[in-house]
Amino acid sequence: MNILRKVTAVPTPGIIRSFSVSPTNNATYSCKLLVVGGGTGGCTMAAKFARRLPKDSVIVLEPSKDHYYQPLWTLVGAGVVRVDATRRAEVSVLPKGAKWIRDSADKLLPDKNKVTTKEGHEINYEYLIIAVGLENDYKKVPGLYEALHDKSSSVSSIYDSQFCEKTFQNMKQHKQGNVIFTYPDTMIKCPGAPQKIAYLADSYFNKTNVRSKTNMIYNTCLPVIFGVPKYAEALMKVVKRKNINVNYKTILKEVRHDKKEAVFFSKDDENKDITMDYSMLHVAPPMHTPGFLRNSKVLVDNCGFLEVDMYTLQNKEYPNIYGIGDCTNTPNSKTAAAIAQQCYVLEQNLLSTMQKDEPKMKYNGYGACPLLTSYNTCILAEFTYGGVPRETMPFNQANESRIAFYMKKDLFPFIYWHIMLKGYYHGPEKIRKLLNPFRD
Ligand SMILES: Cc1cc2nc3c(=O)[nH]c(=O)nc-3n(C[C@H](O)[C@H](O)[C@H](O)COP(=O)(O)OP(=O)(O)OC[C@H]3O[C@@H](n4cnc5c(N)ncnc54)[C@H](O)[C@@H]3O)c2cc1C
């Protein structure tokens, strides 16, 4: 494509070495495309454009030396997989043709087409993709951070590589009493995970013969078990069968781990504390976008999410800025599955923008959530904007299935590491057409 051949990156001082770099002080870099964040969305987009643009045209700004496949943390929490199996070196997943600056974005200066970093460097760009995901906001719940870090406590979270193995340790130690699972009052990634781990724990306690002495409690801020009615109906049957007590609109407020007490409040009466003792507490923590993004007031909505058009993924104020993944304000379920579809839309639309054309491709809000219901069954929820089911398999995916379990455990990780991060996976739409030629 002509436009792509015309422009190359111009790395100014302290030229970046061919891969991970520790730049010299106060260096200035320039590139055609800057990708901020090297997680699921950032790696995928960097792979796509590193292939299309001349060498060294793409810079990835990412502070972490490790890249995780987060969707497997649920099975880490259940003792099926070790956390090491979900981790790879960042350098091994970034495309060879891109440059990695191992540093964090500090300020976005969209009027100057510039990003400054924590270490004091400047990166000039022509086009910018923001893919910085969501961070756990432990401090929002007093006592939570301390409880998670106390190795002897029975408080854990599958939402953190540091604490997901602790969930299984706590499950093994549990003998009787309340086991509480929480869902916070913020946007979170994979909104199905807080209940998946509850279903897996129930199965585990049955195996270890402690289930009859266990009171399973799921406290969720939501008014329903799941946002898509078709799957909510199926999940309510699971909840009933497993005898899990669900408290809706109930939010974790404080953890007193010295007393093994969790304090909640109900959205219906915010002034009244509800204190519950626990033998084990699993927390899905509140989340927010990284601070540097929340502070970029011209780019974000009231909740601190990057404002993009929900179909084209382009920022409305700055057409050379796009967003992908958990940090954007698109009203879809925040999942890696969503990114698989978004990445193709973003690729096509950014290419149009580079050619001074309007973005034309539209993201349909697709997301998927493999809702594990035991150690060998799963409800594979797939849906688009508005909670409209869009299933790939030629059977009713609201039914618990073994195939879906093994897809989640084995097939999806394979696709992620070997196809998606290399920029070649665009979601299951083609497979859907092949398996269901007569569906719309
Ligand atoms: C327990 C759990 C279960 C899940 N289950 C599923 C599932 O079954 N199916 C599914 O599809 N999805 C699932 N997900 C969700 C999925 O993992 C995320 O939606 C996806 O990884 C988000 O990708 P992202 O690129 O938006 O963010 P991330 O992959 O989180 O990447 C963000 C990157 O930005 C970097 N960053 C942060 N701040 C800065 C900064 N200042 N400067 C530069 N870089 C920065 C971070 O270091 C990180 O590498 C699950 C997630 C969890 C935690």
Side-chain angles (χ1 to χ4, degrees):
M1 232 169 259
N2 286 345
I3 181 88
L4 304 182
R5 263 182 252 119
K6 261 198 293 193
V7 199
T8 333
V10 188
T12 27
I15 305 295
I16 320 164
R17 278 181 277 122
S18 73
F19 227 67
S20 161
V21 278
S22 309
T24 50
N25 282 341
N26 301 322
T28 300
Y29 303 98
S30 296
C31 60
K32 180 160 175 100
L33 174 63
L34 172 62
V35 181
V36 182
T40 307
C43 256
T44 303
M45 292 318 303
K48 283 182 168 295
F49 279 91
R51 245 192 334 264
R52 286 184 173 274
L53 297 172
K55 195 162 165 47
D56 300 346
S57 301
V58 179
I59 289 180
V60 180
L61 180 63
E62 162 63 53
S64 175
K65 72 175 182 34
D66 294 318
H67 182 112
Y68 285 93
Y69 179 60
Q70 301 170 40
L72 265 189
W73 289 349
T74 314
L75 286 172
V76 173
V80 178
V81 179
R82 295 298 307 264
V83 72
D84 303 1
T86 71
R87 181 175 54 228
R88 296 215 176 156
E90 184 71 31
V91 69
S92 72
V93 293
L94 287 174
K96 300 272 180 287
K99 299 297 184 188
W100 172 22
I101 296 183
R102 194 171 162 204
D103 194 354
S104 302
D106 187 41
K107 279 200 182 70
L108 299 173
L109 305 168
D111 287 321
K112 295 181 175 164
N113 291 335
K114 187 188 296 241
V115 170
T116 62
T117 75
K118 282 233 165 83
E119 305 274 332
H121 312 300
E122 288 187 357
I123 308 171
N124 298 305
Y125 60 81
E126 286 180 48
Y127 302 94
L128 173 66
I129 295 176
I130 300 180
V132 290
L134 281 169
E135 288 176 353
N136 295 334
D137 182 9
Y138 296 124
K139 295 285 176 188
K140 196 171 175 215
V141 179
L144 175 58
Y145 181 83
E146 295 75 11
L148 286 167
H149 279 85
D150 180 345
K151 286 200 172 78
S152 66
S153 83
S154 49
V155 181
S156 71
S157 180
I158 56 166
Y159 277 90
D160 194 315
S161 60
Q162 279 188 78
F163 309 123
C164 49
E165 287 191 333
K166 197 179 177 199
T167 303
F168 188 57
Q169 284 159 24
N170 290 347
M171 273 162 57
K172 284 192 285 190
Q173 280 155 6
H174 166 74
K175 297 286 175 270
Q176 60 180 355
N178 289 343
V179 176
I180 307 177
F181 300 84
T182 72
Y183 186 115
D185 58 345
T186 63
M187 180 70 86
I188 61 169
K189 46 186 150 186
C190 194
Q195 63 186 283
K196 296 180 205 179
I197 191 65
Y199 303 145
L200 288 159
D202 165 80
S203 297
Y204 184 79
F205 297 148
N206 271 315
K207 268 197 249 173
T208 52
N209 293 322
V210 296
R211 182 63 184 91
S212 58
K213 290 173 270 175
T214 301
N215 181 25
M216 302 278 292
I217 301 168
Y218 180 57
N219 287 346
T220 169
C221 107
L222 302 175
V224 288
I225 193 82
F226 196 72
V228 181
K230 171 172 179 169
Y231 304 112
E233 201 181 304
L235 289 165
M236 282 317 292
K237 289 185 192 149
V238 176
V239 163
K240 260 199 174 152
R241 186 180 78 232
K242 289 180 175 277
N243 191 22
I244 297 173
N245 298 301
V246 180
N247 298 307
Y248 297 106
K249 300 198 257 176
T250 302
I251 298 149
L252 182 65
K253 184 178 167 185
E254 188 184 343
V255 179
R256 300 173 186 151
H257 83 283
D258 50 336
K259 295 186 190 159
K260 288 193 146 192
E261 281 177 2
V263 186
F264 294 85
F265 68 93
S266 162
K267 273 187 173 173
D268 293 332
D269 183 0
E270 301 203 357
N271 296 318
K272 198 173 137 208
D273 285 354
I274 306 162
T275 305
M276 295 180 178
D277 58 351
Y278 61 81
S279 155
M280 173 180 157
L281 174 66
H282 178 272
V283 179
M287 295 178 200
H288 56 200
T289 55
F292 85 95
L293 180 59
R294 290 200 310 280
N295 294 333
S296 307
K297 298 294 178 207
V298 288
L299 291 175
V300 297
D301 68 8
N302 290 338
C303 300
F305 284 76
L306 177 72
E307 275 202 275
V308 294
D309 180 280
M310 66 190 267
Y311 299 112
T312 65
L313 308 178
Q314 185 183 41
N315 180 258
K316 288 172 189 161
E317 289 293 315
Y318 299 90
N320 63 337
I321 299 181
Y322 280 82
I324 188 165
D326 296 352
C327 69
T328 74
N329 72 340
T330 52
N332 62 291
S333 185
K334 302 300 184 197
T335 58
I339 291 172
Q341 289 237 330
Q342 290 174 354
C343 70
Y344 183 64
V345 173
L346 201 165
E347 179 187 26
Q348 297 307 311
N349 286 345
L350 180 52
L351 285 171
S352 297
T353 304
M354 287 174 171
Q355 290 164 324
K356 312 292 174 228
D357 207 350
E358 289 299 309
K360 292 186 190 71
M361 280 284 291
K362 288 188 173 173
Y363 168 56
N364 65 1
Y366 175 86
C369 192
L371 292 142
L372 301 162
T373 53
S374 77
Y375 279 74
N376 57 14
T377 54
C378 176
I379 289 173
L380 182 49
E382 288 181 285
F383 46 91
T384 56
Y385 279 141
V388 180
R390 189 156 184 89
E391 301 186 343
T392 303
M393 305 301 284
F395 55 78
N396 181 0
Q397 290 178 203
N399 293 334
E400 291 171 76
S401 101
R402 277 172 189 257
I403 294 179
F405 178 88
Y406 290 103
M407 285 166 77
K408 156 84 183 166
K409 176 174 163 286
D410 300 316
L411 179 65
F412 297 160
F414 179 87
I415 291 175
Y416 185 82
W417 294 118
H418 299 286
I419 309 175
M420 183 165 165
L421 291 186
K422 295 186 164 57
Y424 292 116
Y425 183 62
H426 300 150
E429 198 56 34
K430 284 196 176 136
I431 300 160
R432 181 179 191 272
K433 291 228 162 78
L434 206 71
L435 295 177
N436 312 275
F438 303 112
R439 270 203 226 162
D440 68 333

